[in-house]
Amino acid sequence: MKKDDHYLLGSLLKTSGIKGEIILKFNNDCPEEIQELESIFINVDNKLVPFFIDELNPLKSNEFQVFLEDVPPGKAAELIGKAAYLPLQLLPKLKGKQFYFHEVLDFLVIDNNYGEVGILKTVVDRPPQHVLIIEKNNKEILIPITNSILKSVNREEKKIFV
C-alpha cells in the first residue's frame, strides 16, 4: 500500500477500557460514511497495514472508540501514537466551500480585497477552528477558516477565495 493513494484520517490517541479499545481522533469532522468504516490502514514501521474494525463508537464529534479485529488488549497500546489512513477513493466528493485538507494543498489563496495572498502549504486543526498556513515571499500567513472569511473554493483552477 502506497501512502500517495491514501489520506491521513487521524491518529490513535490512547487505549480506553480493558478490552483493547483505542481512541481514534479524526483530523476533521467526519461525514456519516466515515463513521461506518469497516477497516483502516495504520502506519506501522512506515508501512500501511490494514486493520478491520469490529466496532466504532462515537465519543465526541471527531473522536471514536474503536475495537480492532485481532488486536488483543495487550497489543492495543503498541498502536498508540500511530497514524490512521484511508484510501482516497473512499472519500465522498465535497462541493462548495467544503474541502478536505489534503485536497487544497498548493492552491492559490486570493483575498477579495487585496488580491493574491500566496500558496496554501498546510491546514492546521487548532481549537477553536482550523487555520490556513500560506507561504508568500518566504513568510507564513495564517488565516482562520470561518464561514465569514472563506468565500469559495475553485477546484478546477486550484484557488481559494477569502
Side-chain angles (χ1 to χ4, degrees):
M1 297 281 143
K2 291 192 270 180
K3 273 191 192 177
D4 292 347
D5 299 332
H6 295 76
Y7 69 95
L8 180 63
L9 174 67
S11 58
L12 301 165
L13 294 181
K14 61 184 177 180
T15 57
S16 169
I18 59 172
K19 299 178 184 174
E21 304 96 321
I22 301 172
I23 303 300
L24 171 61
K25 180 178 182 183
F26 293 124
N27 278 351
N28 52 9
D29 294 334
C30 50
E32 286 182 18
E33 295 87 1
I34 290 178
Q35 294 179 24
E36 297 173 8
L37 289 174
E38 294 179 7
S39 64
I40 57 175
F41 291 83
I42 298 176
N43 188 358
V44 178
D45 297 328
N46 222 18
K47 294 178 185 168
L48 294 184
V49 178
F51 286 85
F52 289 98
I53 296 173
D54 278 337
E55 198 173 322
L56 192 64
N57 301 314
L59 298 174
K60 297 179 185 176
S61 66
N62 64 343
E63 286 185 11
F64 286 77
Q65 182 183 55
V66 62
F67 295 86
L68 298 175
E69 190 175 293
D70 299 325
V71 177
K75 296 289 183 181
E78 295 175 13
L79 298 175
I80 301 310
K82 305 242 185 261
Y85 292 84
L86 283 179
L88 286 171
Q89 72 260 20
L90 290 182
L91 283 174
K93 297 289 184 205
L94 296 178
K95 296 178 184 174
K97 296 191 315 185
Q98 294 182 323
F99 58 85
Y100 296 108
F101 294 171
H102 70 273
E103 134 184 68
V104 293
L105 297 181
D106 296 324
F107 274 37
L108 177 62
V109 178
I110 301 171
D111 183 278
N112 286 345
N113 297 319
Y114 301 105
E116 290 186 9
V117 178
I119 302 297
L120 177 63
K121 289 301 169 185
T122 190
V123 180
V124 178
D125 181 12
R126 296 219 172 120
Q129 65 208 21
H130 306 301
V131 177
L132 300 175
I133 298 182
I134 301 150
E135 187 177 286
K136 183 172 185 172
N137 300 329
N138 294 323
K139 292 184 180 179
E140 281 188 348
I141 301 165
L142 307 177
I143 299 177
I145 302 173
T146 65
N147 281 332
S148 62
I149 292 175
L150 184 66
K151 299 301 179 193
S152 66
V153 176
N154 185 322
R155 289 168 176 80
E156 293 78 31
E157 295 181 17
K158 296 190 170 198
K159 294 179 180 176
I160 296 176
F161 295 91
V162 295

